[in-house]
Amino acid sequence: MTGGDGAPHAGRGRAVVVGASMAGLLAARVLSDHFGEVVVLDRDPLPVDAVARRGLPQAAHAHVLLERGLRLLEGFFPGFITELGEAGAEPVDCGREALWLTPRGWSAAHDEGALLMSCSRDLLDAVVRRRLRALAPVRLEERTAVTGLLASPDAGRVCGVKVAGDGRDQSQRFAAELVVDASGRGSPAPRWLAELGYGRPAESVVDADVGYATRLYARRPGDLEAPYKGIYQQLGPPRRTRGGFLAPIEEQRWLLTLTGTGGDHPPGEVEGFDRFLHDLDDPLPGVVRGMEPIGDVRIYRATRNRLRHYERMRLPAGLLLLGDTVCAFNPVYGQGLTTAALAALTLDRSLQGRGDLSRRFQRRLAHANRAPWLLATGEDYRVPTVRGERPPPGTALLHAYAGRVFAASTRTPGVARRLQAVMHMRDSPLALLRPPVLLAALGPRGRALPDAMASRR
């Protein structure tokens, strides 16, 4: 990825990224090909090692870098997959090595499944930060809070940010040719834009009231029957409102995240967590029984889908917005990290054009966000108590067809492979309308739990 002859900022000027989220870190990687200096500002300490940071409370829970996102990061940082593995991430072939309970039964095993590098979010972020710190144009400034935007006298251009942090008695000015806001769900960008006279963005919200609870366990050989390395028991509302995800992570640990939708949340105390777990389908309760827990239960509740429509606004030049600042998902579908990688790819392509960069980028980003948004909210509309935007016309028909595709995936490896490719964002959802999938979706339903796991409880 290089700026190319068409990059208007190649090799000169300063870009500022607000927030060291995954979206912010990947934006900085792309900007390093287009600017002479790239500064990432974050209010938290940014550790070298894989340890938790205050500004990422969801990091304790299961995170999935879908295969599309993993391949994009390999493109941004050549050798990334190998480096992640050397740091302790566990490679998982999702077709052969993961048990997936879909809303209609257990997915059929298949070859050429999606690749996961299973690890904690803290490890993933640490490896990305390490690679960024090795890039000459990039500087990570920790313990530095952005308190506002700097704008030209007519407010037509953003020309930097105001900052406050360690060693600063008061807010200081930080000039930049481009400011990228990747500060997350709590971004103050709507207020900043209103103060500059641009108004606030329209918002779309879909809230299925999902809750998480997570606990770590010691990992030993034989915890799972070979060849399996993980279990994903997907939510299936309205009938099945509870699910779970067991994944291997670094330092010989299991990460177990339990999920509940429609207000049916897993408790944060040990006894309630265990009761919730043992109400799930086999084999997850039996696999976890007897494992040695590590630490306490952690909970997370900020899970509503929220889309801010910056593409519909007039924006000042010199300001771009991406990541959870724009589109924040219910994390249960695991799309956030990969969508952040797609935003970085969109940024790179937009920087190579000419004209109104803000308008060009925000419109392209809205297009890139559309498919994951429809996938996430489409499933959340199955929850009878879902709040927010009304479902679009045809949602009930799509639900019925998706149910048949899930059912076909339990008995037809080819359908399971195609469905997994869509879930991992390698294929468009339109791939599920191809003739082989359509024909398979008309047949009988259901598949039993694989024999090797059927007795585990």
Side-chain angles (χ1 to χ4, degrees):
M1 298 207 169
T2 59
D5 293 339
H9 306 289
R12 68 176 182 83
R14 174 195 285 162
V16 164
V17 178
V18 183
S21 61
M22 183 58 67
L25 296 174
L26 297 182
R29 165 62 190 90
V30 164
L31 290 167
S32 71
D33 288 335
H34 299 269
F35 286 82
E37 182 183 8
V38 180
V39 184
V40 181
L41 305 173
D42 199 281
R43 65 174 63 246
D44 284 349
L46 298 175
V48 173
D49 297 326
V51 296
R53 65 183 184 91
R54 182 181 57 196
L56 199 62
Q58 71 271 35
H61 306 277
H63 279 76
V64 176
L65 181 59
L66 304 176
E67 185 172 3
R68 177 77 188 281
L70 181 64
R71 299 301 181 187
L72 285 172
L73 263 68
E74 178 70 20
F76 295 144
F77 305 107
F80 178 81
I81 295 174
T82 298
E83 187 172 351
L84 201 58
E86 291 173 346
E90 181 78 24
V92 179
D93 181 321
C94 292
R96 297 183 295 104
E97 297 177 326
L99 283 166
W100 176 17
L101 179 60
T102 78
R104 296 298 177 90
W106 293 93
S107 178
H110 56 276
D111 295 327
E112 301 177 11
L115 173 66
L116 285 183
M117 294 298 291
S118 187
C119 65
S120 71
R121 173 66 188 272
D122 292 332
L123 179 63
L124 182 65
D125 281 17
V127 172
V128 172
R129 287 195 299 266
R130 182 163 63 239
R131 294 297 297 266
L132 270 182
R133 286 184 167 114
L135 298 177
V138 179
R139 185 168 86 251
L140 305 186
E141 289 233 357
E142 58 186 13
R143 298 184 176 91
T144 302
V146 175
T147 59
L149 299 175
L150 298 175
S152 60
D154 64 356
R157 170 173 287 277
V158 167
C159 48
V161 294
K162 304 172 188 176
V163 299
D166 287 1
R168 296 184 176 93
D169 296 330
Q170 59 186 358
S171 183
Q172 296 182 356
R173 300 166 69 87
F174 203 103
E177 281 70 39
L178 182 69
V179 174
V180 177
D181 181 8
S183 57
R185 285 179 180 263
S187 167
R191 173 171 56 82
W192 290 343
L193 287 168
E195 289 171 352
L196 292 176
Y198 288 87
R200 292 174 176 265
E203 288 190 357
S204 299
V205 174
V206 178
D207 186 1
D209 195 9
V210 172
Y212 277 73
T214 294
R215 201 175 195 194
L216 299 176
Y217 296 82
R219 179 156 53 103
R220 304 162 303 183
D223 282 336
L224 272 178
E225 301 279 356
Y228 300 112
K229 294 182 178 180
I231 303 173
Y232 174 37
Q233 298 192 185
Q234 185 179 346
L235 297 169
R239 182 181 61 86
R240 190 167 71 230
T241 60
R242 298 182 175 189
F245 183 73
L246 181 71
I249 64 171
E250 67 277 7
E251 298 179 4
Q252 290 300 306
R253 296 174 294 170
W254 290 110
L255 184 149
L256 173 64
T257 292
L258 304 180
T259 58
T261 193
D264 184 17
H265 298 161
E269 40 83 22
V270 171
E271 292 79 8
F273 181 90
D274 287 342
R275 286 194 301 271
F276 192 100
L277 167 64
H278 289 287
D279 281 343
L280 297 182
D281 295 319
D282 293 325
L284 192 55
V287 168
V288 177
R289 182 182 290 124
M291 286 184 181
E292 178 187 353
I294 303 172
D296 296 326
V297 178
R298 304 282 297 274
I299 63 172
Y300 187 67
R301 301 287 187 261
T303 60
R304 65 176 184 163
N305 301 283
R306 192 209 62 216
L307 179 62
R308 286 175 171 160
H309 296 281
Y310 289 107
E311 78 281 5
R312 300 177 185 174
M313 295 180 64
R314 183 175 67 93
L315 293 172
L319 175 66
L320 306 179
L321 309 104
L322 49 73
D324 283 3
T325 295
V326 176
C327 188
F329 297 100
N330 172 355
V332 74
Y333 307 112
Q335 299 179 113
L337 294 173
T338 298
T339 303
L342 288 170
L345 181 65
T346 303
L347 175 61
D348 184 64
R349 292 171 175 172
S350 298
L351 284 164
Q352 296 178 50
R354 297 189 180 277
D356 188 337
L357 174 61
S358 294
R359 176 180 290 271
R360 179 170 66 251
F361 171 72
Q362 298 301 157
R363 288 185 172 180
R364 289 179 177 178
L365 182 66
H367 179 75
N369 286 338
R370 179 170 173 77
W373 173 263
L374 291 175
L375 281 171
T377 58
E379 286 301 300
D380 281 355
Y381 281 129
R382 295 179 186 273
V383 179
T385 56
V386 66
R387 300 186 298 272
E389 299 282 313
R390 294 177 62 85
T395 297
L397 182 61
L398 289 175
H399 283 169
Y401 181 69
R404 288 187 170 273
V405 172
F406 277 123
S409 75
T410 69
R411 62 183 184 272
T412 308
V415 175
R417 186 182 303 110
R418 181 67 64 191
L419 179 59
Q420 195 172 96
V422 170
M423 300 293 281
H424 277 258
M425 299 173 68
R426 295 188 322 199
D427 278 354
S428 162
L430 294 176
L432 300 179
L433 297 176
R434 291 174 184 167
V437 180
L438 278 167
L439 291 172
L442 300 177
R445 306 183 184 188
R447 184 175 78 90
L449 180 68
D451 291 341
M453 303 302 300
S455 62
R456 299 293 295 270
R457 184 166 178 108

